[in-house]
Amino acid sequence: MNPRYNVILPIYLKEKILDFAFVSGLEYFNVNYDPRKEVEQGNRRFCMLTEHPTLELSQMVEAFKEIAYEEIGVKDILPEPQFGNFIGVNMNGGSVHEHQDQRDENNNVHLRFNFMIQKPDIGGNAIIEGKEYWIDEDTCWMNYASEWRHGSTPVAGDRARVVLSLGACVPEHIVKEKISKKIGWEH
Protein backbone atom coordinates (compact mmCIF):
# COMPACT_ATOMS: atom_id res chain seq x y z
CA MET A 1 0.00 0.00 0.00
CA ASN A 2 1.15 3.52 -0.78
CA PRO A 3 -1.13 6.20 0.74
CA ARG A 4 0.84 9.11 -0.81
CA TYR A 5 -0.59 11.37 -3.49
CA ASN A 6 0.88 14.03 -5.79
CA VAL A 7 -1.68 16.73 -5.04
CA ILE A 8 0.11 20.04 -4.50
CA LEU A 9 -0.89 22.60 -1.89
CA PRO A 10 -0.48 26.10 -3.36
CA ILE A 11 2.48 28.04 -1.92
CA TYR A 12 0.30 31.01 -0.93
CA LEU A 13 -1.92 28.67 1.15
CA LYS A 14 1.09 27.00 2.77
CA GLU A 15 2.46 30.41 3.77
CA LYS A 16 -0.91 31.49 5.21
CA ILE A 17 -1.16 28.25 7.22
CA LEU A 18 2.35 28.66 8.67
CA ASP A 19 1.67 32.28 9.59
CA PHE A 20 -1.62 31.26 11.21
CA ALA A 21 0.01 28.36 13.11
CA PHE A 22 2.87 30.40 14.55
CA VAL A 23 1.85 34.08 14.51
CA SER A 24 -1.59 35.38 13.57
CA GLY A 25 -3.90 32.53 14.64
CA LEU A 26 -2.51 31.35 17.97
CA GLU A 27 -5.70 32.22 19.86
CA TYR A 28 -7.63 29.71 17.72
CA PHE A 29 -5.49 26.73 18.75
CA ASN A 30 -6.28 24.26 21.53
CA VAL A 31 -3.84 22.02 23.37
CA ASN A 32 -4.43 18.37 22.51
CA TYR A 33 -5.65 15.97 25.15
CA ASP A 34 -4.00 12.53 25.31
CA PRO A 35 -6.71 10.02 26.32
CA ARG A 36 -4.11 7.35 27.12
CA LYS A 37 -2.53 9.48 29.81
CA GLU A 38 -5.62 11.57 30.62
CA VAL A 39 -3.54 14.75 30.41
CA GLU A 40 -3.08 17.68 28.08
CA GLN A 41 -0.09 17.54 25.76
CA GLY A 42 1.61 20.95 25.78
CA ASN A 43 3.75 19.91 22.81
CA ARG A 44 0.77 19.20 20.57
CA ARG A 45 -1.94 21.65 19.53
CA PHE A 46 -4.61 21.92 16.85
CA CYS A 47 -7.13 24.32 15.33
CA MET A 48 -10.37 22.97 13.90
CA LEU A 49 -10.84 25.45 11.08
CA THR A 50 -14.37 24.15 10.51
CA GLU A 51 -15.35 25.68 13.88
CA HIS A 52 -14.36 29.12 12.55
CA PRO A 53 -16.14 29.32 9.17
CA THR A 54 -15.90 33.11 8.88
CA LEU A 55 -12.09 33.13 8.96
CA GLU A 56 -10.60 33.79 5.55
CA LEU A 57 -8.19 30.89 6.04
CA SER A 58 -11.06 28.51 6.83
CA GLN A 59 -12.80 29.50 3.62
CA MET A 60 -9.62 29.13 1.57
CA VAL A 61 -8.97 25.67 3.03
CA GLU A 62 -12.56 24.55 2.39
CA ALA A 63 -12.28 25.67 -1.25
CA PHE A 64 -8.94 23.85 -1.58
CA LYS A 65 -10.46 20.70 -0.06
CA GLU A 66 -13.02 20.53 -2.88
CA ILE A 67 -10.23 20.91 -5.46
CA ALA A 68 -7.95 18.35 -3.76
CA TYR A 69 -10.62 15.64 -3.55
CA GLU A 70 -11.74 16.32 -7.14
CA GLU A 71 -8.11 15.97 -8.26
CA ILE A 72 -8.12 12.36 -7.02
CA GLY A 73 -11.49 11.66 -8.68
CA VAL A 74 -13.83 12.13 -5.72
CA LYS A 75 -16.40 14.80 -6.49
CA ASP A 76 -19.21 14.21 -4.03
CA ILE A 77 -17.81 14.52 -0.54
CA LEU A 78 -19.86 14.99 2.59
CA PRO A 79 -18.82 17.02 5.64
CA GLU A 80 -16.89 15.12 8.31
CA PRO A 81 -18.72 16.19 11.49
CA GLN A 82 -16.20 15.32 14.20
CA PHE A 83 -13.00 17.14 13.22
CA GLY A 84 -13.70 18.75 9.84
CA ASN A 85 -10.64 20.54 8.49
CA PHE A 86 -7.87 21.21 10.96
CA ILE A 87 -4.26 22.29 11.38
CA GLY A 88 -2.17 20.14 13.72
CA VAL A 89 1.12 21.31 15.21
CA ASN A 90 3.43 18.86 16.99
CA MET A 91 6.51 20.26 18.71
CA ASN A 92 9.48 18.49 20.29
CA GLY A 93 8.18 15.28 21.90
CA GLY A 94 4.72 15.61 20.36
CA SER A 95 3.04 12.83 18.41
CA VAL A 96 -0.41 11.67 17.42
CA HIS A 97 -1.32 8.60 19.48
CA GLU A 98 -2.44 5.63 17.44
CA HIS A 99 -6.22 5.52 17.22
CA GLN A 100 -9.10 4.87 14.85
CA ASP A 101 -11.98 7.28 14.25
CA GLN A 102 -15.61 6.44 13.51
CA ARG A 103 -17.68 6.41 10.35
CA ASP A 104 -20.44 8.98 10.16
CA GLU A 105 -24.05 8.26 11.17
CA ASN A 106 -24.84 7.02 7.63
CA ASN A 107 -21.89 4.58 7.67
CA ASN A 108 -19.82 6.64 5.21
CA VAL A 109 -16.03 6.24 5.38
CA HIS A 110 -14.22 8.99 7.30
CA LEU A 111 -11.29 10.09 5.13
CA ARG A 112 -8.51 12.51 6.01
CA PHE A 113 -6.45 13.99 3.19
CA ASN A 114 -3.30 15.17 4.99
CA PHE A 115 -0.68 17.65 3.80
CA MET A 116 2.77 17.92 5.43
CA ILE A 117 3.08 21.70 5.57
CA GLN A 118 6.29 21.62 7.60
CA LYS A 119 8.44 18.57 8.28
CA PRO A 120 10.22 18.45 11.65
CA ASP A 121 13.95 17.83 12.01
CA ILE A 122 13.26 14.27 13.18
CA GLY A 123 10.05 12.22 13.27
CA GLY A 124 6.52 13.27 12.44
CA ASN A 125 5.94 10.46 9.96
CA ALA A 126 2.55 8.88 9.47
CA ILE A 127 1.83 5.52 11.08
CA ILE A 128 -0.93 3.51 9.43
CA GLU A 129 -1.86 0.04 10.66
CA GLY A 130 1.45 -0.20 12.54
CA LYS A 131 3.63 0.74 9.55
CA GLU A 132 5.62 3.98 9.38
CA TYR A 133 5.40 5.98 6.16
CA TRP A 134 8.05 8.60 5.42
CA ILE A 135 6.24 11.78 4.42
CA ASP A 136 8.28 14.59 2.88
CA GLU A 137 7.50 18.26 3.34
CA ASP A 138 5.05 19.56 0.73
CA THR A 139 3.60 16.09 0.09
CA CYS A 140 0.31 14.53 1.07
CA TRP A 141 -1.23 11.20 1.98
CA MET A 142 -4.69 9.70 2.36
CA ASN A 143 -5.80 8.28 5.68
CA TYR A 144 -8.88 6.08 5.95
CA ALA A 145 -9.41 7.38 9.48
CA SER A 146 -12.43 5.17 10.21
CA GLU A 147 -10.84 2.04 8.77
CA TRP A 148 -7.19 2.21 9.86
CA ARG A 149 -5.42 2.66 13.16
CA HIS A 150 -3.26 5.71 12.59
CA GLY A 151 -0.96 8.14 14.36
CA SER A 152 2.48 9.70 13.95
CA THR A 153 6.02 9.21 15.18
CA PRO A 154 7.32 11.60 17.87
CA VAL A 155 8.83 14.88 16.76
CA ALA A 156 12.38 15.70 17.88
CA GLY A 157 14.20 18.99 17.46
CA ASP A 158 13.30 22.66 17.26
CA ARG A 159 11.32 22.47 14.04
CA ALA A 160 7.63 21.63 14.50
CA ARG A 161 5.52 19.29 12.40
CA VAL A 162 2.61 21.17 10.81
CA VAL A 163 -0.13 19.21 9.04
CA LEU A 164 -3.25 20.39 7.27
CA SER A 165 -5.92 17.68 7.51
CA LEU A 166 -8.97 17.82 5.25
CA GLY A 167 -11.81 15.68 6.54
CA ALA A 168 -14.58 14.23 4.41
CA CYS A 169 -17.09 11.41 4.55
CA VAL A 170 -17.45 9.36 1.39
CA PRO A 171 -19.71 6.40 0.60
CA GLU A 172 -17.80 3.12 0.76
CA HIS A 173 -18.45 2.17 -2.89
CA ILE A 174 -16.88 5.45 -4.08
CA VAL A 175 -13.86 4.91 -1.81
CA LYS A 176 -13.38 1.44 -3.31
CA GLU A 177 -13.84 2.64 -6.91
CA LYS A 178 -11.88 5.89 -6.79
CA ILE A 179 -9.24 5.64 -4.07
CA SER A 180 -8.46 2.11 -2.87
CA LYS A 181 -7.20 0.87 -6.24
CA LYS A 182 -4.89 3.89 -6.63
CA ILE A 183 -3.20 3.35 -3.29
CA GLY A 184 -3.15 -0.44 -3.52
CA TRP A 185 -5.41 -1.25 -0.58
CA GLU A 186 -7.89 -4.10 -0.82
CA HIS A 187 -10.66 -4.34 1.74
Side-chain angles (χ1 to χ4, degrees):
M1 178 175 76
N2 180 5
R4 297 172 198 85
Y5 273 90
N6 291 323
V7 176
I8 305 296
L9 181 78
I11 292 172
Y12 72 88
L13 190 51
K14 175 182 176 172
E15 291 172 353
K16 284 194 170 289
I17 290 167
L18 288 172
D19 174 72
F20 187 81
F22 295 113
V23 180
S24 66
L26 292 175
E27 70 268 21
Y28 294 100
F29 280 82
N30 296 309
V31 175
N32 273 67
Y33 181 79
D34 186 341
R36 297 167 304 167
K37 300 175 186 170
E38 297 184 357
V39 296
E40 287 187 348
Q41 287 184 294
N43 53 6
R44 184 175 161 221
R45 57 190 171 87
F46 72 102
C47 172
M48 288 197 319
L49 293 170
T50 309
E51 289 185 346
H52 307 285
T54 60
L55 287 175
E56 179 186 30
L57 181 61
S58 296
Q59 294 168 3
M60 293 171 74
V61 165
E62 184 64 27
F64 174 70
K65 176 172 84 173
E66 299 290 329
I67 293 166
Y69 276 95
E70 280 187 24
E71 196 166 320
I72 65 168
V74 180
K75 295 182 183 187
D76 298 317
I77 59 174
L78 305 166
E80 189 283 303
Q82 190 173 7
F83 301 109
N85 301 326
F86 69 82
I87 299 169
V89 179
N90 291 359
M91 293 156 284
N92 189 41
S95 66
V96 178
H97 66 279
E98 289 188 54
H99 66 286
Q100 187 170 337
D101 299 306
Q102 296 178 349
R103 289 185 176 210
D104 74 3
E105 62 187 23
N106 295 315
N107 205 34
N108 293 305
V109 178
H110 173 182
L111 298 178
R112 304 225 56 91
F113 207 172
N114 298 315
F115 292 79
M116 183 69 76
I117 305 295
Q118 180 173 288
K119 179 82 172 173
D121 295 324
I122 299 168
N125 286 316
I127 299 172
I128 299 173
E129 291 293 314
K131 181 178 178 187
E132 181 177 348
Y133 291 87
W134 181 270
I135 306 294
D136 291 322
E137 188 166 300
D138 297 324
T139 61
C140 62
W141 71 101
M142 182 61 67
N143 176 15
Y144 288 34
S146 60
E147 314 306 299
W148 301 335
R149 284 192 58 75
H150 57 279
S152 70
T153 59
V155 168
D158 294 331
R159 193 166 201 254
R161 172 193 197 247
V162 180
V163 169
L164 172 65
S165 187
L166 307 175
C169 290
V170 179
E172 187 170 4
H173 73 278
I174 294 174
V175 172
K176 286 180 180 179
E177 292 168 13
K178 302 286 185 177
I179 302 174
S180 294
K181 291 177 186 176
K182 290 181 185 178
I183 64 173
W185 187 61
E186 298 295 326
H187 54 105

PDB file of all heavy atoms in Angstrom, residues 56-68:
ATOM      1  N   GLU A  56     -11.007  33.891   6.948  1.00  0.00           N
ATOM      2  CA  GLU A  56     -10.597  33.794   5.546  1.00  0.00           C
ATOM      3  C   GLU A  56      -9.839  32.495   5.294  1.00  0.00           C
ATOM      4  O   GLU A  56     -10.082  31.818   4.287  1.00  0.00           O
ATOM      5  CB  GLU A  56      -9.716  34.992   5.175  1.00  0.00           C
ATOM      6  CG  GLU A  56      -9.225  34.933   3.741  1.00  0.00           C
ATOM      7  CD  GLU A  56      -8.236  36.025   3.401  1.00  0.00           C
ATOM      8  OE1 GLU A  56      -7.497  36.478   4.307  1.00  0.00           O
ATOM      9  OE2 GLU A  56      -8.183  36.405   2.224  1.00  0.00           O
ATOM     10  N   LEU A  57      -8.949  32.114   6.219  1.00  0.00           N
ATOM     11  CA  LEU A  57      -8.187  30.886   6.036  1.00  0.00           C
ATOM     12  C   LEU A  57      -9.103  29.665   5.991  1.00  0.00           C
ATOM     13  O   LEU A  57      -8.914  28.764   5.174  1.00  0.00           O
ATOM     14  CB  LEU A  57      -7.123  30.718   7.128  1.00  0.00           C
ATOM     15  CG  LEU A  57      -6.260  29.468   7.019  1.00  0.00           C
ATOM     16  CD1 LEU A  57      -5.479  29.450   5.703  1.00  0.00           C
ATOM     17  CD2 LEU A  57      -5.311  29.358   8.206  1.00  0.00           C
ATOM     18  N   SER A  58     -10.109  29.627   6.836  1.00  0.00           N
ATOM     19  CA  SER A  58     -11.057  28.505   6.828  1.00  0.00           C
ATOM     20  C   SER A  58     -11.752  28.384   5.480  1.00  0.00           C
ATOM     21  O   SER A  58     -11.916  27.278   4.946  1.00  0.00           O
ATOM     22  CB  SER A  58     -12.110  28.680   7.923  1.00  0.00           C
ATOM     23  OG  SER A  58     -11.513  28.653   9.191  1.00  0.00           O
ATOM     24  N   GLN A  59     -12.134  29.505   4.918  1.00  0.00           N
ATOM     25  CA  GLN A  59     -12.804  29.503   3.624  1.00  0.00           C
ATOM     26  C   GLN A  59     -11.860  29.068   2.508  1.00  0.00           C
ATOM     27  O   GLN A  59     -12.250  28.318   1.611  1.00  0.00           O
ATOM     28  CB  GLN A  59     -13.391  30.885   3.351  1.00  0.00           C
ATOM     29  CG  GLN A  59     -14.502  31.238   4.320  1.00  0.00           C
ATOM     30  CD  GLN A  59     -14.911  32.702   4.272  1.00  0.00           C
ATOM     31  OE1 GLN A  59     -14.418  33.485   3.470  1.00  0.00           O
ATOM     32  NE2 GLN A  59     -15.819  33.074   5.154  1.00  0.00           N
ATOM     33  N   MET A  60     -10.619  29.524   2.576  1.00  0.00           N
ATOM     34  CA  MET A  60      -9.624  29.131   1.571  1.00  0.00           C
ATOM     35  C   MET A  60      -9.351  27.630   1.636  1.00  0.00           C
ATOM     36  O   MET A  60      -9.253  26.960   0.610  1.00  0.00           O
ATOM     37  CB  MET A  60      -8.327  29.918   1.779  1.00  0.00           C
ATOM     38  CG  MET A  60      -8.469  31.400   1.492  1.00  0.00           C
ATOM     39  SD  MET A  60      -7.007  32.340   2.008  1.00  0.00           S
ATOM     40  CE  MET A  60      -5.869  31.863   0.719  1.00  0.00           C
ATOM     41  N   VAL A  61      -9.233  27.103   2.854  1.00  0.00           N
ATOM     42  CA  VAL A  61      -8.968  25.675   3.035  1.00  0.00           C
ATOM     43  C   VAL A  61     -10.158  24.846   2.550  1.00  0.00           C
ATOM     44  O   VAL A  61      -9.986  23.822   1.892  1.00  0.00           O
ATOM     45  CB  VAL A  61      -8.605  25.362   4.505  1.00  0.00           C
ATOM     46  CG1 VAL A  61      -8.688  23.877   4.798  1.00  0.00           C
ATOM     47  CG2 VAL A  61      -7.217  25.912   4.834  1.00  0.00           C
ATOM     48  N   GLU A  62     -11.358  25.289   2.846  1.00  0.00           N
ATOM     49  CA  GLU A  62     -12.556  24.555   2.390  1.00  0.00           C
ATOM     50  C   GLU A  62     -12.614  24.519   0.863  1.00  0.00           C
ATOM     51  O   GLU A  62     -12.917  23.478   0.273  1.00  0.00           O
ATOM     52  CB  GLU A  62     -13.825  25.186   2.965  1.00  0.00           C
ATOM     53  CG  GLU A  62     -15.096  24.438   2.628  1.00  0.00           C
ATOM     54  CD  GLU A  62     -15.170  23.031   3.207  1.00  0.00           C
ATOM     55  OE1 GLU A  62     -14.558  22.741   4.242  1.00  0.00           O
ATOM     56  OE2 GLU A  62     -15.873  22.201   2.585  1.00  0.00           O
ATOM     57  N   ALA A  63     -12.297  25.628   0.220  1.00  0.00           N
ATOM     58  CA  ALA A  63     -12.275  25.666  -1.247  1.00  0.00           C
ATOM     59  C   ALA A  63     -11.185  24.739  -1.793  1.00  0.00           C
ATOM     60  O   ALA A  63     -11.408  24.014  -2.775  1.00  0.00           O
ATOM     61  CB  ALA A  63     -12.058  27.098  -1.739  1.00  0.00           C
ATOM     62  N   PHE A  64     -10.017  24.735  -1.143  1.00  0.00           N
ATOM     63  CA  PHE A  64      -8.936  23.854  -1.584  1.00  0.00           C
ATOM     64  C   PHE A  64      -9.315  22.385  -1.389  1.00  0.00           C
ATOM     65  O   PHE A  64      -8.978  21.541  -2.205  1.00  0.00           O
ATOM     66  CB  PHE A  64      -7.626  24.166  -0.852  1.00  0.00           C
ATOM     67  CG  PHE A  64      -6.539  23.192  -1.171  1.00  0.00           C
ATOM     68  CD1 PHE A  64      -5.955  23.163  -2.429  1.00  0.00           C
ATOM     69  CD2 PHE A  64      -6.115  22.266  -0.230  1.00  0.00           C
ATOM     70  CE1 PHE A  64      -4.969  22.247  -2.753  1.00  0.00           C
ATOM     71  CE2 PHE A  64      -5.130  21.336  -0.531  1.00  0.00           C
ATOM     72  CZ  PHE A  64      -4.557  21.333  -1.797  1.00  0.00           C
ATOM     73  N   LYS A  65     -10.035  22.083  -0.310  1.00  0.00           N
ATOM     74  CA  LYS A  65     -10.457  20.695  -0.059  1.00  0.00           C
ATOM     75  C   LYS A  65     -11.270  20.165  -1.238  1.00  0.00           C
ATOM     76  O   LYS A  65     -11.040  19.045  -1.695  1.00  0.00           O
ATOM     77  CB  LYS A  65     -11.273  20.593   1.228  1.00  0.00           C
ATOM     78  CG  LYS A  65     -11.825  19.181   1.470  1.00  0.00           C
ATOM     79  CD  LYS A  65     -12.470  19.035   2.818  1.00  0.00           C
ATOM     80  CE  LYS A  65     -13.882  19.483   2.831  1.00  0.00           C
ATOM     81  NZ  LYS A  65     -14.556  19.189   4.115  1.00  0.00           N
ATOM     82  N   GLU A  66     -12.199  20.946  -1.732  1.00  0.00           N
ATOM     83  CA  GLU A  66     -13.017  20.531  -2.879  1.00  0.00           C
ATOM     84  C   GLU A  66     -12.122  20.221  -4.077  1.00  0.00           C
ATOM     85  O   GLU A  66     -12.291  19.195  -4.743  1.00  0.00           O
ATOM     86  CB  GLU A  66     -14.017  21.632  -3.243  1.00  0.00           C
ATOM     87  CG  GLU A  66     -14.998  21.981  -2.149  1.00  0.00           C
ATOM     88  CD  GLU A  66     -16.025  20.913  -1.866  1.00  0.00           C
ATOM     89  OE1 GLU A  66     -16.394  20.170  -2.804  1.00  0.00           O
ATOM     90  OE2 GLU A  66     -16.478  20.816  -0.712  1.00  0.00           O
ATOM     91  N   ILE A  67     -11.153  21.086  -4.326  1.00  0.00           N
ATOM     92  CA  ILE A  67     -10.231  20.909  -5.455  1.00  0.00           C
ATOM     93  C   ILE A  67      -9.380  19.656  -5.254  1.00  0.00           C
ATOM     94  O   ILE A  67      -9.191  18.861  -6.179  1.00  0.00           O
ATOM     95  CB  ILE A  67      -9.340  22.154  -5.617  1.00  0.00           C
ATOM     96  CG1 ILE A  67     -10.191  23.349  -6.051  1.00  0.00           C
ATOM     97  CG2 ILE A  67      -8.205  21.900  -6.599  1.00  0.00           C
ATOM     98  CD1 ILE A  67      -9.491  24.683  -5.926  1.00  0.00           C
ATOM     99  N   ALA A  68      -8.841  19.479  -4.041  1.00  0.00           N
ATOM    100  CA  ALA A  68      -7.951  18.346  -3.757  1.00  0.00           C
ATOM    101  C   ALA A  68      -8.673  17.015  -3.947  1.00  0.00           C
ATOM    102  O   ALA A  68      -8.144  16.095  -4.581  1.00  0.00           O
ATOM    103  CB  ALA A  68      -7.389  18.462  -2.341  1.00  0.00           C
TER     104      ALA A  68
END
